[in-house]
Amino acid sequence: MRITGTTRVVGVLGYPVGHSLSPDMHNAAFDALDMDWCYVPFEVAPDRLEQSVRGLAALGVVGANLTIPHKRAAVAHLDEVRGDAAITGSVNTIHFDGDRLIGYSTDGDGFLGALAGLGVDPAGTEAVVLGAGGSAVAIVVALMRAGAARITVANRTPERAQALVELVGSQAGSGMTIATAPWDSESIGEALEGANLLVNTTSVGMKADPQQTLPVPAEALRPDLAVYDIVYTPLETPLVRTALERGGRALGGARMLVLQGAISFRIWTGVDPPVEVMENALRAGLERAHAGEGESKKM
Ligand code: ATR
């Protein structure tokens, strides 16, 4: 890659940001399409976020991803927030469109794309979502937008599950139910009895977990229950492995990570992203990180 005065710049703002695999994905995509663009990681402390966003605009940077801890805080510095981000109050993509700073969240559409790859049509589905953090909010909003019939949210800290339901409740269409369930095997097992989709957004099953814990009882993983786990370290979590072993359809978090990035790419460039190139770059980056540089389920 040769950087010149005509090179267009995008990037990611995070704190820390060294673990992010987004530069690998986007720079591989620019290379593959022979585009004069580059993607740069910027480590930005929380008290420098506003200055940084304004600085990027002043420098003519085209856009950026936002990762921990900036996804919510950035909203205050934007001119407009579109789509799911207007409901969730969390942005992972900003685009400097002329003089206006526009914010988006591409997580929900990334998730829906991953579900499509799993052969799941969310319209009319009954889903159980584990977790109530930022990822869960994005996923629940996407499922509601896609016409899910019933969504049950279970979280270790029940107040957060309740807060999620209150946040998104006004988006529920007629005939759509959103409820909480307690965080115990029996209650989650019961919620899964009538469900056809299980989504894990908690950190349970991440590589650091020596117990290789399953967030639900194995018996609850029926062959007709589709499972999506947003964790991508390891690429195949205990949940995904067990669901597959029991004859079900299941997929890990790498696909959603790639697709949310691919949607950001299209917002900035207007060009169709080379999704497979991005996925290969992500997988190569994860293999490098596997050597012990830590882990993440984040962008
Ligand atoms: P994200 O932005 O990915 O959603 P987050 O906001 O940190 O990340 O949320 C992490 C989720 O994983 C939360 O739902 C958290 O549960 P709490 O709200 O009770 O903290 C869940 N989580 C993390 N570790 C967990 C564990 N060991 N068992 C169950 N849930 C866990």
Side-chain angles (χ1 to χ4, degrees):
M1 178 196 307
R2 191 167 160 263
I3 310 272
T4 70
T6 60
T7 305
R8 322 275 332 251
V9 180
V10 288
V12 54
L13 278 53
Y15 192 73
V17 78
H19 65 281
S20 174
L21 295 168
S22 295
D24 301 59
M25 287 197 286
H26 288 277
N27 287 321
F30 294 143
D31 281 350
L33 298 182
D34 203 16
M35 290 169 67
D36 186 17
W37 287 63
C38 73
Y39 187 106
V40 184
F42 296 104
E43 185 163 280
V44 173
D47 63 347
R48 290 294 178 98
L49 179 63
E50 179 171 7
Q51 266 180 302
S52 300
V53 169
R54 298 203 181 289
L56 293 179
L59 290 166
V61 167
V62 178
N65 284 131
L66 297 162
T67 186
I68 290 175
H70 302 315
K71 289 182 168 196
R72 301 188 71 79
V75 171
H77 312 306
L78 305 177
D79 295 311
E80 186 185 338
V81 174
R82 291 189 185 160
D84 289 355
I87 302 162
T88 64
S90 169
V91 296
N92 74 345
T93 303
I94 52 179
H95 183 209
F96 301 103
D97 190 6
D99 283 343
R100 291 177 63 74
L101 270 75
I102 301 174
Y104 303 84
S105 173
T106 65
D107 287 334
D109 281 335
F111 168 71
L112 293 178
L115 272 194
L118 196 53
V120 175
D121 176 0
T125 199
E126 298 207 7
V128 173
V129 175
L130 307 177
S135 305
V137 174
I139 282 170
V140 167
V141 166
L143 285 172
M144 293 171 90
R145 176 159 56 81
R150 182 180 177 88
I151 304 172
T152 305
V153 180
N155 192 52
R156 179 179 62 178
T157 308
E159 295 77 15
R160 286 186 90 190
Q162 195 52 44
L164 188 163
V165 169
E166 278 161 25
L167 175 73
V168 306
S170 63
Q171 304 301 314
S174 61
M176 187 181 281
T177 308
I178 171 151
T180 62
W183 182 261
D184 61 70
S185 302
E186 199 180 333
S187 306
I188 294 173
E190 262 171 40
L192 285 172
E193 272 169 28
N196 31 32
L197 173 65
L198 168 65
V199 186
N200 176 50
T201 76
T202 75
S203 334
V204 176
M206 281 180 73
K207 202 166 55 180
D209 173 11
Q211 313 289 324
Q212 288 287 286
T213 314
L214 271 182
V216 299
E219 316 79 75
L221 299 172
R222 310 179 314 268
D224 61 326
L225 178 74
V227 173
Y228 193 76
D229 192 342
I230 72 161
V231 175
Y232 58 80
T233 54
L235 284 168
E236 189 178 273
T237 60
L239 175 62
V240 168
R241 189 171 54 249
T242 309
L244 291 173
E245 280 166 6
R246 294 178 61 87
R249 284 172 295 170
L251 194 62
R255 190 71 183 168
M256 176 177 165
L257 181 66
V258 168
L259 293 178
Q260 60 78 31
I263 298 163
S264 300
F265 182 99
R266 189 185 286 113
I267 289 171
W268 299 321
T269 65
V271 169
D272 271 350
V275 174
E276 299 317 317
V277 168
M278 295 176 83
E279 180 145 5
N280 289 340
L282 172 68
R283 286 174 184 274
L286 286 169
E287 271 168 30
R288 274 199 315 278
H290 186 66
E293 295 169 17
E295 67 194 58
S296 176
K297 66 177 172 73
K298 308 290 177 196
M299 177 167 74

